[in-house]
Amino acid sequence: MRFSLPTLKIRSQVLLFGLIMSTLPLIVMTTYYLLEVKKDLEYRIEDKQELKISNLANQIEIELEKTFQQMEMLAVVYEMDNHNSLFYDFLRQNKSIEEVVIVDGEGLISKKLSRFELNTVETGEQWLDERLKQQLVRGLRMVDDVKFNSFGQPVIKLALPMIDIRSGEYYGGIGITLQLQKIIGEISSYQLNEPGYIYLVDQNDRIIAHQDYARLWTKNSTKPHDDLISAQSNIDDLQWRLVLEQPRQQLLTPVYVMLKKSIVVAFFFILLISVVSVYAGLYFVKPIELLQGAIMHLKKGQWPPKVKLSRRDELGDLATAFNDMSEDLKEKSNTLLQEKERLNIIVNGLRAGLAVIRSDYTIVWMNPTLQEWLDTKIGMPCYRIFNDIGEPCVKCPAFNDYSEEYDETVTSYDKNGQKRIFRHRVYPLKHSYRAERESLLLIEDITEKKEMEAVLTQADKLSALGLMSSSFAHEVNNPLATVKVYAEDLIDRLEEEPNLLKEEVITYLQTISQNIDRCKTITSNLLNFSRKSDWTEKSVNVNEVIENSVELVYHTIKKRGITLNRHLETNFPPVLGDSLNLMQVIVNIITNAADAIEKENGEINISSKWLKEDNEIEINISDNGVGIEQKDLTRVYDPFYTTKPVGKGTGLGLSVCYGIIHQFGGTISITSEKEIGTTVNIKIPAFQLENEV
Amino acid sequence: MKKIITLTIVVLLFVFIFIVLLSKDTSQEKYQIGVLMTGENRLVKLEGIKDGLIKLGYDLDRFEFFVMDAEDNSSRLDDLAIKLLQKDVNLIVTLGGIETRTVERQMQQLEKFVPVVFVGIAASYELGLIEQYNEPGTYFTGVDNYHMNLSSKRLEMFKELIPSLEKVYVIYSGGVEISELSMQITRETAEFFNVQLVELDANRTGVLKQLEASVTEKDGIFILPSYQIEAMVEEISEIALRKKAPTMGIYDDDIKAGFLFSYGSTFYDQGYQASRHVSLILQGNNPNNLPVELPDAIRFLVNDNVRKQLDISIKSDILKLADVYEGNDDR
C-alpha cells in the first residue's frame, strides 16, 4: 500500500521542511542530552549523599576513637599518678565531656571531676549498673544507652576497664559522661540545602538526632522506599547508624529545574530557529508566489503587474526575466492580434478559398470565400469538395511523402451550377495544432484567368496569322497558279486535242490534285492553328508538332533566305498536353527567330532530344540573329513587351509561350548574346515513359 | 515582511521574559531574623550565630537581620520588641535574659507569637520561659548558659584554686531574678564548703565603695549573673587589683576587664551554639519541640597578667583545665 502525502502548496512545503529540518535534530539532540544529563546527575547526587553521610559518620567515629584513646592513656597514667591535673587536662581537651569518673570494681564512684556539678562524691554513689559493669569485667569497652541528665540533656556514658598491671586483674574503670547535644544538634541542624532528613539511630533503633524534632527519641520506622534516596553509614563503636533520606522527587528538583530551563532554552532556540526558518522559507517562497500569481494572471489572459523584487540573486534575475518576457509577450501578442486582424481581412477578402485539413482529411477551418464558392462545411472531408469517389486524391501531398508541389487544376461546378475552373494546391503545415499533421488547401477560381489566357493565346495566334497571312497567301497562290496553269493547259489541249490521251489527262489532274492537296494542307494547318480550342490534354508527339509548326512558317523563312536546320531525335516518349498550344509556342519562337535575323545567311536550328536522366523532352530553337540585350532578357516574358517595330509584334508571344509551357509542367529559358544569337530552351516532362515505369 | 519581523521580535521578547522569570530562583527568598539586645557588648553573640550558621552550611546572603539595640538602656527594650514583633520575621533572637523576658511580655500583650531563640540566659526553666529542658512547650527555645547553677561550681573552683580564701565578696543584682536565684545557690554551696560570704547588692548605692573599703588580699570577689553587673566588671576589677584581691567572673569579657578567673560560657560560644536552634526553626521545627541546650563549652580562663600582679598562690592541678589569657583577644 503506498502512502502519499497530501498535496501542499510550495509555501507550506518549504515551511514544513524548514521547521522539520531545523527543529527535529535539535529536539533529538536535546532529548538525548537531557536524558543523559538526568541520569548522570541522579548518579552524582546519590554519590554525593553517600559521601556526605560517610564524612559525618567518620567525624563522629574519629572523635569517639580519640576520646577512647585518651581515656586509655588516662587509665594507664592514673595508676602511676592520680593527681587531678590529668583529669582537668582531659576535660579541657574534650569540651563535650560533662564529667570523668573513676569507679571501683563494684561500679561505685571513687573519684569524680565534673564540668557542671560539684566534684563531691556521695558515699556509695553508683555509676555503673550490673550489665555495664560485666562488660568492663570482661575487659570490653562499655557503651551505655543514650539517656537524659537532670537537665534533660542527652548524654551517654562510656567506660574502659582498668586492669592491674602486675596482677592483670580488673579492679575498676574510668568512665565519662558525654554530652550528645552538640553531635545531635549539629546533625539535626545540618543544612542540607535540599529537602530531606539526616538522622542518627542508636543501637536500639531509636532516633537520637533528627532534623524533624517531632521524631526525636521515637523508634525508627522509616523503611526503604523507592521514592526516597537513602544513604547510611554505620558508627561501629556505638552501633549507631547515621542515615540520610531525601525524597527522590524533591532531591531531583534542581535537576528537573535544570531540565526545565534547558527545555525552555532549547524551546527558545527551536523557536528562534523556526522563526528564522519560516523567515528564510518565506524569503525564498515569496518571489515564487509572486511569479506564480503573475503567471496565473497570464493564464487568465490578463497582463500581470510588474513583479517587484529588489534582489540580486537568481530569483531576482528570474523576476527580471519574467518581467521582460511578459513585456515581450505583450508586445508580440499585440503584434499577433494586429497581424491576425490583417490576416482575417486578407483571408476573408481574398478571392481564394482557404481550408485547413487534419490528417483524416476533414476540414477544420475554412475561409468564407471557400464556403461561398463550393458549399463546403467544417468537418467534411476535403476530397468531397472536388472528388466524389470518396477517397483522397492520388497525389495529395497533405499527409503523404510526396515531395512535389501539388498543383492541380480542377473543373467543377459552383453552388449555382456554373462550371468553374479551380486551381487546387496543398501545402503541408509544419506548425500544427497539438502535434497533429495539418495541411492548407489553397483553391483559386482561375476560370476568368483561363478565359483571359485563351483570349490572349487566340490573340497571339491571330497576330501570328496576320503576320503570316501574306506568306500563307503566297504559299497558296503557288499551287493555285500551278492548278490554274495545268487546268488552262488541260482545257486548251482538250480543245485542241479531243483525243487527248487519258493518261495525259490523268497526269494533269493528278498534278492539279496534288497542288490542291498542298493548298488543303496549308489551309488545314492554318485553320488548325487559328482554331480557338480549349486545353485538351493528350499524348503529344513533339517532333510532329515541330514539323507542323515548321510547315506554317516555312514560306516566311524561305522568303527571307533563312536556312532552317532540324535535328530531331526519334524514339522518345510523348509529352502530355495540348498539341495546338505547343505548336503555337514553336511557331512563336521560330517567328521570333526569323524576325531577329536581319543579315544574310540566317540560320535557325531546331533540335529535340530526350533527357533520359530527368525524363524530359528538350527542345532547343536557336538563331544567329541580333540577339537580345541583357537588360531586356528579364522582361521578355512580360505581356505586351516587345522590341519589334510597331506592327510587327503584339508583345504577347513569349508571355503566352511561358503560360503554355508552364501548363505543360515544363520550363522555358532564353539565353542570348548580342549580335551572336539567341537560344530558346524548352523542357517538358515526358509522359509515356513515366507511366510505363 | 514587516509583519513577520515584528512578530518575530514580539515572540522573542516574550520568550526572553519567560526565561528570565523562570531563571529567578524563588526558593532563595531571604530569612528575616529579628535580633534584640540591651547593648553592644552582646553583639558578639550575634557574630557567633552568624559563624555557626555558616558552619552549618548556610549562606549569610540569604539572611536579613533586623538588629534592635537598646544601647544599654533597658527601658527601650519594650519599644524595640514591639517593633520587631510588628515586622514579619521568621524568628526573634534574644541575646540575653532581660531581652527574652521583654519579648515574652510583649508577645503576650500583642498576642502575636513568633518563635524565639534565646542566647545565653541563666535560668530559662526557673524563670518559667520553658516547661522543661528537652521539650520547652512554648515559643521559646535556645541556649541556657547554666550560669545560675554554675554559680555553685564556680565557688567550688574558686575555693579549690585559692584554698587560703577566708571570705568571698559576692556581688549580685537585687531584683534581678536570675541574680537572686544564683545568690541562693551560692549561699548553699558556701555553707557546704564552709566559706564565709559577704553579699553585696549591685543595685545598692555605694556598693563598690563598700567593696573597696572592706575587701582585703585574703578575700575573693565573686560576681553573679546580671546584665547590671556585666556593666560594672571593669570597676570591680580595678578595685580588686588595688586591693590585690582575686576575682572570679563568668565571661571572657570579665577576664579582659581584669578579673583573675572566669568560668562560664562565652557570648560567642552561646551564639555559635544557638545557631543550631535558628537553623532547626528555619527548617520547620516547632520551638516547643526543640530542647533547650546547656552550653557546649564552659571555658575556664585565667588572666596571667593579673595573677602576676596579685602574686598569689594558685593550686596547679585545676589550672590544667584553664585557658590562660595573656592579654590577647583570642577566643
Side-chain angles (χ1 to χ4, degrees):
Chain A
M1 188 173 131
R2 290 184 66 186
F3 175 76
S4 60
L5 282 170
T7 306
L8 296 172
K9 286 191 169 183
I10 191 164
R11 171 193 282 252
S12 307
Q13 287 179 34
V14 168
L15 294 184
L16 192 64
F17 179 78
L19 282 174
I20 289 172
M21 291 311 292
S22 59
T23 58
L24 195 62
L26 200 56
I27 290 170
V28 171
M29 282 170 60
T30 306
T31 307
Y32 174 77
Y33 169 75
L34 292 179
L35 288 176
E36 286 296 310
V37 166
K38 179 176 175 282
K39 200 162 67 178
D40 186 59
L41 283 175
E42 282 182 4
Y43 170 76
R44 284 171 189 273
I45 285 171
E46 286 179 12
D47 204 38
K48 185 181 155 192
Q49 301 302 84
E50 282 185 12
L51 189 65
K52 187 184 285 181
I53 204 74
S54 173
N55 281 342
L56 276 174
N58 280 345
Q59 280 179 25
I60 295 170
E61 205 155 17
I62 288 167
E63 282 296 319
L64 193 70
E65 184 57 32
K66 186 178 152 192
T67 305
F68 270 121
Q69 285 177 3
Q70 286 177 330
M71 285 170 68
E72 281 174 4
M73 194 177 294
L74 198 62
V76 171
V77 176
Y78 178 74
E79 283 190 34
M80 297 176 284
D81 179 8
N82 60 2
H83 283 87
N84 290 343
S85 58
L86 293 172
F87 292 88
Y88 281 128
D89 191 38
F90 179 59
L91 283 175
R92 189 180 63 82
Q93 290 180 47
N94 298 279
K95 297 283 192 296
S96 294
I97 294 176
E98 203 175 279
E99 63 180 3
V100 54
V101 297
I102 300 294
V103 294
D104 60 16
E106 298 302 319
L108 301 175
I109 299 174
S110 62
K111 184 180 184 67
K112 179 172 82 173
L113 290 175
S114 172
R115 193 182 297 276
F116 298 101
E117 304 294 329
L118 297 178
N119 294 338
T120 311
V121 178
E122 294 176 12
T123 309
E125 188 177 345
Q126 190 78 35
W127 197 79
L128 289 173
D129 59 23
E130 191 57 32
R131 182 180 62 86
L132 297 173
K133 191 176 76 182
Q134 288 307 317
Q135 286 188 28
L136 289 185
V137 170
R138 289 200 298 273
L140 300 174
R141 287 179 176 180
M142 183 220 79
V143 178
D144 197 1
D145 294 339
V146 176
K147 292 176 179 170
F148 297 97
N149 63 13
S150 54
F151 293 97
Q153 311 298 310
V155 293
I156 186 169
K157 286 180 176 177
L158 307 174
L160 289 174
M162 290 200 297
I163 310 296
D164 185 82
I165 298 172
R166 289 176 291 276
S167 63
E169 288 181 358
Y170 164 77
Y171 68 92
I174 181 167
I176 61 169
T177 302
L178 188 67
Q179 273 190 350
L180 295 177
Q181 66 178 17
K182 190 175 178 185
I183 294 173
I184 290 171
E186 284 182 350
I187 289 172
S188 302
S189 54
Y190 192 83
Q191 171 66 3
L192 282 172
N193 287 326
E194 303 105 11
Y197 292 111
I198 184 166
Y199 59 91
L200 192 60
V201 182
D202 70 4
Q203 66 271 38
N204 299 317
D205 211 21
R206 188 175 54 159
I207 295 171
I208 58 173
H210 198 293
Q211 287 181 310
D212 179 4
Y213 265 66
R215 294 184 61 186
L216 216 57
W217 315 116
T218 61
K219 277 277 186 186
N220 179 28
S221 59
T222 308
K223 290 176 181 172
H225 199 283
D226 285 345
D227 292 341
L228 297 172
I229 291 178
S230 177
Q232 74 171 32
S233 187
N234 294 329
I235 303 167
D236 294 333
D237 284 337
L238 301 174
Q239 296 178 326
W240 291 355
R241 285 179 296 125
L242 192 60
V243 183
L244 176 60
E245 281 178 351
Q246 292 182 289
R248 184 179 294 275
Q249 188 68 26
Q250 291 182 30
L251 189 64
L252 295 176
T253 297
V255 178
Y256 295 137
V257 169
M258 190 273 288
L259 291 178
K260 203 161 69 177
K261 286 181 181 175
S262 302
I263 289 168
V264 170
V265 171
F267 173 75
F268 172 75
F269 280 106
I270 287 170
L271 196 69
L272 183 67
I273 291 168
S274 301
V275 169
V276 172
S277 294
V278 168
Y279 177 80
L282 291 177
Y283 179 76
F284 289 115
V285 167
K286 188 79 178 169
I288 296 171
E289 288 184 330
L290 280 174
L291 285 169
Q292 188 210 17
I295 290 167
M296 292 310 285
H297 264 85
L298 272 182
K299 191 180 170 187
K300 288 176 187 171
Q302 301 162 348
W303 295 111
K306 221 169 187 180
V307 178
K308 290 178 181 172
L309 273 183
S310 53
R311 294 165 60 147
R312 294 183 177 176
D313 56 6
E314 288 85 347
L315 287 168
D317 292 345
L318 189 63
T320 308
F322 177 81
N323 288 335
D324 293 347
M325 196 178 70
S326 172
E327 203 60 39
D328 194 32
L329 202 60
K330 192 176 178 181
E331 273 180 29
K332 284 184 176 168
S333 179
N334 286 335
T335 308
L336 270 179
L337 285 173
Q338 288 171 359
E339 288 184 358
K340 187 185 173 189
E341 189 179 2
R342 290 172 196 164
L343 202 61
N344 276 337
I345 293 168
I346 292 167
V347 166
N348 294 336
L350 193 66
R351 292 310 297 166
L354 294 170
V356 174
I357 57 169
R358 291 266 170 84
S359 53
D360 58 356
Y361 298 97
T362 53
I363 296 170
V364 291
W365 175 85
M366 62 182 171
N367 68 345
T369 308
L370 185 63
Q371 197 167 18
E372 188 187 328
W373 284 347
L374 295 165
D375 196 19
T376 313
K377 291 175 183 171
I378 300 288
M380 71 180 281
C382 64
Y383 46 79
R384 288 281 184 197
I385 299 173
F386 301 119
N387 186 353
D388 291 335
I389 61 171
E391 287 178 3
C393 304
V394 177
K395 290 187 179 178
C396 180
F399 309 107
N400 298 310
D401 295 328
Y402 293 109
S403 57
E404 293 175 23
E405 185 183 339
Y406 185 82
D407 190 350
E408 297 288 330
T409 302
V410 181
T411 304
S412 187
Y413 294 90
D414 65 12
K415 289 200 294 189
N416 302 320
Q418 295 288 320
K419 188 179 177 182
R420 309 292 292 180
I421 302 168
F422 294 102
R423 188 180 181 191
H424 172 209
R425 281 177 286 178
V426 178
Y427 300 98
L429 297 176
K430 289 179 183 172
H431 304 287
S432 54
Y433 178 73
R434 290 182 179 173
E436 275 202 41
R437 295 174 68 186
E438 290 179 339
S439 293
L440 177 72
L441 300 187
L442 175 59
I443 297 167
E444 291 174 86
D445 187 344
I446 55 170
T447 309
E448 282 78 16
K449 185 186 172 191
K450 283 291 177 186
E451 287 171 357
M452 187 59 67
E453 280 178 1
V455 170
L456 284 175
T457 305
Q458 193 60 25
D460 180 59
K461 275 184 188 176
L462 292 174
S463 171
L465 282 172
L467 291 172
M468 291 187 296
S469 58
S470 62
S471 295
F472 289 146
H474 186 76
E475 191 73 7
V476 171
N477 271 343
N478 284 339
L480 282 177
T482 303
V483 167
K484 187 178 180 182
V485 169
Y486 270 82
E488 284 174 354
D489 189 46
L490 182 59
I491 293 166
D492 288 341
R493 292 248 342 241
L494 283 172
E495 285 177 352
E496 291 172 3
E497 299 172 33
N499 294 318
L500 191 63
L501 290 176
K502 185 181 177 184
E503 285 81 17
E504 286 188 27
V505 173
I506 291 170
T507 303
Y508 272 100
L509 289 174
Q510 280 178 336
T511 304
I512 290 166
S513 178
Q514 283 171 355
N515 280 283
I516 289 168
D517 283 345
R518 189 169 168 222
C519 286
K520 188 183 174 188
T521 304
I522 292 166
T523 54
S524 294
N525 275 341
L526 193 62
L527 281 172
N528 196 27
F529 181 73
S530 63
R531 191 177 67 233
K532 184 182 176 186
S533 65
D534 292 333
W535 178 270
T536 309
E537 277 196 355
K538 287 181 182 173
S539 176
V540 176
N541 186 322
V542 172
N543 284 347
E544 196 177 300
V545 171
I546 293 170
E547 290 293 348
N548 288 335
S549 302
V550 169
E551 282 290 331
L552 278 176
V553 295
Y554 181 77
H555 184 75
T556 307
I557 294 166
K558 189 179 168 185
K559 195 173 74 178
R560 291 185 187 177
I562 296 168
T563 307
L564 189 130
N565 301 315
R566 278 167 287 185
H567 308 284
L568 305 178
E569 280 188 8
T570 55
N571 295 326
F572 57 76
V575 296
L576 192 64
D578 188 288
S579 59
L580 279 176
N581 280 280
L582 184 59
M583 191 163 73
Q584 187 175 356
V585 171
I586 304 295
V587 167
N588 265 332
I589 293 169
I590 295 172
T591 305
N592 283 345
D595 289 344
I597 298 170
E598 295 175 348
K599 58 185 179 184
E600 289 182 359
N601 302 324
E603 194 174 289
I604 295 172
N605 292 305
I606 302 174
S607 67
S608 66
K609 65 177 176 180
W610 179 24
L611 303 176
K612 291 182 180 175
E613 287 182 2
D614 300 325
N615 195 29
E616 289 177 328
I617 305 300
E618 185 184 60
I619 304 166
N620 278 307
I621 302 168
S622 60
D623 64 68
N624 58 352
V626 295
I628 306 168
E629 293 273 0
Q630 285 299 312
K631 63 181 176 59
D632 297 327
L633 265 179
T634 54
R635 300 182 61 192
V636 292
Y637 300 114
D638 294 351
F640 306 110
Y641 177 79
T642 181
T643 56
K644 293 177 182 176
V646 178
K648 261 199 131 178
T650 58
L652 290 171
L654 282 175
S655 173
V656 170
C657 291
Y658 181 86
I660 290 168
I661 295 302
H662 191 254
Q663 202 162 358
F664 268 90
T667 58
I668 178 169
S669 62
I670 299 172
T671 54
S672 182
E673 200 171 343
K674 195 70 179 168
E675 303 302 333
I676 297 297
T678 301
T679 300
V680 177
N681 176 268
I682 296 167
K683 288 178 181 172
I684 300 170
F687 169 65
Q688 195 175 1
L689 192 63
E690 189 183 44
N691 275 1
E692 287 172 5
V693 171
Chain B
M1 195 58 78
K2 279 183 182 173
K3 278 185 181 176
I4 293 172
I5 292 169
T6 311
L7 187 69
T8 307
I9 292 169
V10 170
V11 168
L12 291 179
L13 199 65
F14 269 107
V15 172
F16 178 73
I17 292 168
F18 180 65
I19 288 175
V20 169
L21 289 176
L22 194 81
S23 305
K24 192 178 174 184
D25 194 351
T26 51
S27 64
Q28 294 295 309
E29 283 179 8
K30 285 191 171 184
Y31 297 121
Q32 311 284 322
I33 311 289
V35 180
L36 186 63
M37 62 183 187
T38 51
E40 200 177 345
N41 65 325
R42 303 206 172 185
L43 208 53
V44 72
K45 292 186 180 181
L46 185 58
E47 288 174 20
I49 290 174
K50 289 178 178 176
D51 287 352
L53 287 172
I54 291 169
K55 181 75 188 328
L56 290 173
Y58 286 92
D59 179 357
L60 283 187
D61 288 341
R62 291 181 59 193
F63 288 83
E64 192 170 1
F65 293 95
F66 300 103
V67 181
M68 299 292 175
D69 182 4
E71 296 173 341
D72 296 320
N73 182 358
S74 58
S75 62
R76 290 184 60 204
L77 285 172
D78 282 297
D79 289 341
L80 296 176
I82 291 168
K83 281 184 183 175
L84 275 183
L85 287 168
Q86 286 170 345
K87 284 184 180 294
D88 190 18
V89 292
N90 296 98
L91 59 91
I92 293 173
V93 173
T94 52
L95 300 184
I98 190 167
E99 295 94 327
T100 311
R101 298 290 278 179
T102 305
V103 170
E104 182 197 26
R105 189 168 55 250
Q106 291 305 331
M107 284 206 302
Q108 294 293 342
Q109 283 183 8
L110 296 173
E111 292 185 342
K112 183 172 182 179
F113 300 97
V114 178
V116 176
V117 174
F118 50 77
V119 185
I121 63 173
S124 52
Y125 174 71
E126 287 79 359
L127 294 174
L129 285 171
I130 57 171
E131 293 169 4
Q132 53 184 341
Y133 282 99
N134 55 355
E135 279 191 40
T138 65
Y139 292 95
F140 294 88
T141 188
V143 177
D144 188 317
N145 57 26
Y146 198 63
H147 286 175
M148 184 189 80
N149 299 74
L150 206 61
S151 300
S152 173
K153 182 68 183 174
R154 288 169 57 226
L155 187 60
E156 181 194 48
M157 289 174 69
F158 201 16
K159 179 69 178 167
E160 187 179 344
L161 284 161
I162 309 171
S164 60
L165 281 179
E166 291 180 356
K167 232 174 358 188
V168 174
Y169 285 82
V170 182
I171 303 171
Y172 73 101
S173 285
V176 176
E177 261 182 304
I178 294 167
S179 204
E180 287 182 343
L181 288 167
S182 300
M183 188 64 243
Q184 180 59 36
I185 288 171
T186 308
R187 277 192 209 110
E188 291 168 6
T189 309
E191 192 177 342
F192 182 78
F193 286 111
N194 200 21
V195 176
Q196 186 182 350
L197 295 184
V198 178
E199 298 178 19
L200 297 174
D201 185 351
N203 284 326
R204 283 176 57 190
T205 312
V207 65
L208 293 178
K209 285 185 180 175
Q210 185 187 352
L211 176 67
E212 187 163 10
S214 54
V215 72
T216 68
E217 59 185 14
K218 293 178 181 175
D219 303 328
I221 299 173
F222 189 87
I223 60 170
L224 293 177
S226 164
Y227 69 94
Q228 289 175 328
I229 296 169
E230 284 170 22
M232 297 165 62
V233 290
E234 285 190 8
E235 293 171 89
I236 294 169
S237 69
E238 286 170 5
I239 293 168
L241 285 173
R242 283 198 294 271
K243 292 294 184 176
K244 290 192 176 293
T247 43
M248 170 62 92
I250 304 168
Y251 300 109
D252 50 347
D253 279 351
D254 299 342
I255 289 291
K256 289 173 195 168
F259 272 54
L260 178 59
F261 306 116
S262 73
Y263 190 71
S265 171
T266 67
F267 282 180
Y268 180 83
D269 288 343
Q270 290 169 26
Y272 193 91
Q273 186 175 346
S275 66
R276 299 203 294 257
H277 290 86
V278 173
S279 170
L280 288 166
I281 289 171
L282 293 179
Q283 285 175 13
N285 284 288
N286 196 322
N288 62 18
N289 288 331
L290 296 179
V292 172
E293 292 181 2
L294 296 188
D296 287 340
I298 299 291
R299 291 178 187 272
F300 176 38
L301 296 173
V302 176
N303 191 325
D304 203 42
N305 290 333
V306 174
R307 183 183 66 77
K308 287 171 184 168
Q309 284 181 49
L310 295 179
D311 191 22
I312 195 168
S313 173
I314 300 171
K315 195 173 180 183
S316 61
D317 279 6
I318 196 169
L319 280 180
K320 288 288 184 184
L321 185 63
D323 292 322
V324 177
Y325 176 78
E326 292 177 338
N328 299 322
D329 187 8
D330 184 5
R331 292 186 184 92

